[in-house]
Amino acid sequence: MHRLRQVSGVDLQLVAYKGGQPLLTDLMGNQIGAGISVVSDYLVQHRAGRVRIIATGSPKRSALAPDIPTLVESGYPDLYGVSSIGFFVRGGTPQPLVAQLSMEITDVLRTPDVRTRLLEMGAEPVGGTPEEFRRLVLSERSRWAPVAKAANVRVE
């Protein structure tokens, strides 16, 4: 939301929430006018007409809601986020074990049941090598560090 405020020039009052459900409750109760959270948390209410999802913050349209445009498509080319879940191991873990774990995790992500369930939750399973994930983490960290600093965000 801070990044949206930066790029749009709109003066927004930012309120931190402890999760998507409290935010949704306040949004539906007209306590707040807008919010940002995970699309999958809001689809049921969106489809029922109780809230309106006006854009997603991902680089491309969500498989769960292909009818909803992205912020990029809405005129904000630098306003997107990549949310990822990864598996980490302790530093010094032998490379053959890391490679084996990576391969097995990628295989599991490709199974139809796991893939379907993750897609239903709004996650698009990708898989990949440990080095690809490392590059993604470092890239996102360097991309968002200035935004976090400007927003005075601290890790707790």
Side-chain angles (χ1 to χ4, degrees):
M1 198 61 129
H2 182 76
R3 182 72 177 128
L4 176 61
R5 182 170 70 176
Q6 284 180 324
V7 300
S8 70
V10 175
D11 186 24
L12 301 169
Q13 180 178 354
L14 304 181
V15 177
Y17 276 82
K18 291 185 177 185
Q21 291 308 311
L23 191 150
L24 179 61
T25 299
D26 282 358
L27 188 61
M28 290 175 52
N30 291 322
Q31 303 300 314
I32 58 173
I36 292 180
S37 191
V38 180
V39 170
S40 58
D41 287 349
Y42 294 80
L43 276 178
V44 171
Q45 302 304 332
H46 170 77
R47 290 181 177 141
R50 294 185 189 100
V51 298
R52 181 173 170 221
I53 301 172
I54 58 174
T56 65
S58 57
K60 61 180 185 162
R61 289 191 184 210
S62 167
L64 287 177
D67 56 315
I68 299 171
T70 67
L71 289 166
V72 171
E73 292 174 298
S74 301
Y76 299 98
D78 294 327
L79 191 55
Y80 64 89
V82 176
S83 178
S84 45
I85 299 169
F87 294 87
F88 296 84
V89 295
R90 188 173 17 142
T93 301
Q95 187 56 36
L97 180 56
V98 171
Q100 180 183 356
L101 287 169
S102 176
M103 183 181 68
E104 290 182 15
I105 290 167
T106 299
D107 287 347
V108 168
L109 291 174
R110 289 182 179 146
T111 62
D113 291 346
V114 170
R115 215 175 148 63
T116 298
R117 183 66 185 124
L118 286 170
L119 287 168
E120 288 170 353
M121 295 182 332
E124 296 186 37
V126 177
T129 68
E131 185 55 34
E132 288 169 331
F133 186 61
R134 180 182 176 281
R135 283 193 304 268
L136 173 67
V137 169
L138 292 175
S139 170
E140 287 299 293
R141 181 179 176 194
S142 66
R143 184 169 174 254
W144 288 102
V147 177
K149 184 176 181 179
N152 201 25
V153 172
R154 300 184 203 290
V155 177
E156 295 180 4

